[in-house]
């Protein structure tokens, strides 16, 4: 599957991690992680830090799946508003899911502080504005429930929103608990760090086709017929994880993003805030350290990469019109544009943990607009499971939650 096309900004911004190491012999390890995206990297970091021996395998170059196309906003707010999610999974679980995402942003920050590296992680506020009357009602309801559970939130009316951010809408929710990152820089550095410091082995251009299950181990089989014997396997294969799943759990869709040329700092709104809206599919906006503006959205409900790519030009124009409507004085000039495969689940939550019955294969599937915060949660849950630590988040993100509907 073509996970993205066009020119994702991160490819132009970062030196590509030049590493080519296909698996040429049979090997054995404690844990094999399939996928070197941001999810696989965070899982690997947690496991290596806990002293667990693992190897990573990827059919592509390191971190050149969805993570290199990600706009990488880090928010505790999930695509499904808390007031809606409560109706699907219950108030207690929905609140815990939100609290977990909130904590996850700090945990991501700490992962990199602990190895003394900054993958352009930046704390920024977030603004969730009402796109229309229905959206205004939603944010009022959402404000109440988030206040009840002491989640960081404030509400601005039309005048306050216009005054503080220059956005014309009836109101917004605001919080100061969000962040942004460079997911490619983050994942490649983590992998490089553990290759240098913990003898981590990474096999690129090595595709896992299937596996045999034995009593106490798996044998993962590559397209070249090589075998990886492991006690545990972690599926961090992103939107291509379908092959490892007995049944479909996510809807694959298409999404679009553009980035401006750098602009004068005077045009950037208050706090370089992340901005998104209540309408679906939503428009979202962030900046980067060089005063470029990233605008994304315009999702389409199909996954066919050829069909997705045909729409890129049209979607660029629509995103440009939308950003100009929101900020008419900003001299936005598109520099790069890209599109990618995206995915959502019915309740907006990721799937983390074992498929019921399969005790030694772990899935770390961070689907939805919070993919990266979910990746951090997945990494911790899997580490805790392997080290015998009880994790109360397990059941919220488990596959079994949908069985209980
Ligand atoms: C345009 C766009 C914008 C986004 N914006 C945001 C955002 O603002 N905030 C956010 O949190 N998330 C966002 N996301 C989602 C986020 O980027 C993803 O959730 C995240 O990058 C997924 O990381 P991953 O490591 O799970 O998957 P990937 O980065 O795709 O890594 C999976 C890896 O597994 C490998 N693989 C797959 N199958 C096999 C196999 N059989 N054998 C060997 N290797 C295999 C692939 O080659 C790939 O490298 C966005 C995504 C896109 C596309």
């Amino acid at each position: 599957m073509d996970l993205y096309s066009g020119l994702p900004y991160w490819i132009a911004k970062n030196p590509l991690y030049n590493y080519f190491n296909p698996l040429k012999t049979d090997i054995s390890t404690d844990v094999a992680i399939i996928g070197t995206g941001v999810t696989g990297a965070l899982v690997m970091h947690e496991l290596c830090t806990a002293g667990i021996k693992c190897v990573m395998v990827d059919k592509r170059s390191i971190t050149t799946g969805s993570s290199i196309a990600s706009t990488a906003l880090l928010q505790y707010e999930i695509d499904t508003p808390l007031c809606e999610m409560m109706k699907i999974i219950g108030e207690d679980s929905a609140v815990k899911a939100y609290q977990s995402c909130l904590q996850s942003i700090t945990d991501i920050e700490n992962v990199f502080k602990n190895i003394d590296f900054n993958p352009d992680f930046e704390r920024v506020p977030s603004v969730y504005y009402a796109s229309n009357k229905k959206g205004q009602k939603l944010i009022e309801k959402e404000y109440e429930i988030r206040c009840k559970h002491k989640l960081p939130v404030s509400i601005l009316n039309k005048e306050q929103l216009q005054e503080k951010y220059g956005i014309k809408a009836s109101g917004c929710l605001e919080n100061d608990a969000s962040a942004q990152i460079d997911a490619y820089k983050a994942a490649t550095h983590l992998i490089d760090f553990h290759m240098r410091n913990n003898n981590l082995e990474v096999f690129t251009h090595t595709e896992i086709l299937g596996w045999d299950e034995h009593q106490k181990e798996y044998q993962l089989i590559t397209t070249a017929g090589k075998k990886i014997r492991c006690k545990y396997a972690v599926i961090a294969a992103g939107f291509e994880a379908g092959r490892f799943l007995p049944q479909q759990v996510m809807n694959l869709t298409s999404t679009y993003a553009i980035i401006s040329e750098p602009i004068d700092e005077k045009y950037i709104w208050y706090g370089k805030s992340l901005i998104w809206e209540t309408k679906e599919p939503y428009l979202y906006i962030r900046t980067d350290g060089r005063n470029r503006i990233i605008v994304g959205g315009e999702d389409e409900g199909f996954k066919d990469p050829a069909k997705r790519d045909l729409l890129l030009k049209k979607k660029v124009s629509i995103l440009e019109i939308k950003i100009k409507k929101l900020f008419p004085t900003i001299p936005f000039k598109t520099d790069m544009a890209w599109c990618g495969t995206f995915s959502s689940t019915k309740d907006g939550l990721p799937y983390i943990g074992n498929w019921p019955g399969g005790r030694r294969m772990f899935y770390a599937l961070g689907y939805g607009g919070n993919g990266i915060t979910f990746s951090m949660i997945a990494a911790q849950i899997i580490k805790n499971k392997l080290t015998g630590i009880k994790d109360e988040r397990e059941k919220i993100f488990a596959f079994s939650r949908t069985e209980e509907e």
Side-chain angles (χ1 to χ4, degrees), residues 15-214:
L16 274 181
Y17 196 90
N18 184 6
Y19 192 77
F20 182 80
N21 186 31
L23 181 66
K24 293 198 178 115
T25 54
D26 294 350
I27 55 165
S28 65
T29 182
D30 287 343
V31 183
I33 300 169
I34 302 170
T36 61
V38 69
T39 311
L42 286 166
V43 172
M44 173 279 298
H45 172 75
E46 289 295 312
L47 299 189
C48 282
T49 308
I52 298 170
K53 184 173 160 38
C54 46
V55 301
M56 300 184 86
V57 196
D58 202 303
K59 64 182 186 181
R60 298 187 171 86
S61 278
I62 287 180
T63 320
T64 54
S66 306
S67 299
I68 203 169
S70 182
T71 47
L73 287 72
L74 302 180
Q75 293 184 287
Y76 83 81
E77 306 166 285
I78 302 171
D79 287 353
T80 308
L82 178 56
C83 61
E84 303 289 336
M85 189 183 289
M86 285 164 41
K87 293 182 208 153
I88 312 173
I89 60 166
E91 186 163 342
D92 190 44
S93 293
V95 170
K96 283 194 181 124
Y98 266 68
Q99 288 167 338
S100 303
C101 285
L102 179 63
Q103 181 59 41
S104 167
I105 299 171
T106 303
D107 293 343
I108 291 171
E109 187 175 19
N110 286 336
V111 160
F112 292 97
K113 274 190 182 157
N114 290 341
I115 60 164
D116 199 17
F117 178 77
N118 186 358
D120 298 338
F121 178 99
E122 202 179 345
R123 285 278 177 184
V124 283
S126 174
V127 167
Y128 180 48
Y129 70 87
S131 318
N132 47 33
K133 276 190 191 155
K134 196 173 149 212
Q136 181 61 26
K137 279 198 188 128
L138 171 72
I139 64 166
E140 285 165 14
K141 213 167 146 197
E142 186 68 6
Y143 177 65
E144 254 178 54
I145 190 73
R146 289 203 210 164
C147 284
K148 178 180 165 194
H149 293 288
K150 300 193 169 42
L151 287 161
V153 67
S154 47
I155 192 160
L156 303 188
N157 64 24
K158 187 177 168 189
E159 290 73 31
Q160 291 165 324
L161 175 59
Q162 164 85 50
E163 161 95 23
K164 190 164 179 184
Y165 291 97
I167 294 174
K168 282 191 185 132
S170 57
C172 76
L173 296 183
E174 186 194 34
N175 73 68
D176 58 3
S178 309
Q180 58 193 21
I181 197 170
D182 174 339
Y184 178 77
K185 192 170 177 178
T188 50
H189 187 83
L190 268 188
I191 294 170
D192 182 65
F193 177 88
H194 288 285
M195 286 205 280
R196 282 185 287 109
N197 295 293
N198 285 313
N199 297 322
L200 170 72
E201 282 188 288
V202 181
F203 299 99
T204 61
H205 306 86
T206 301
E207 180 168 3
I208 304 298
L209 267 190
W211 68 91
D212 291 328
E213 189 167 358
H214 299 268

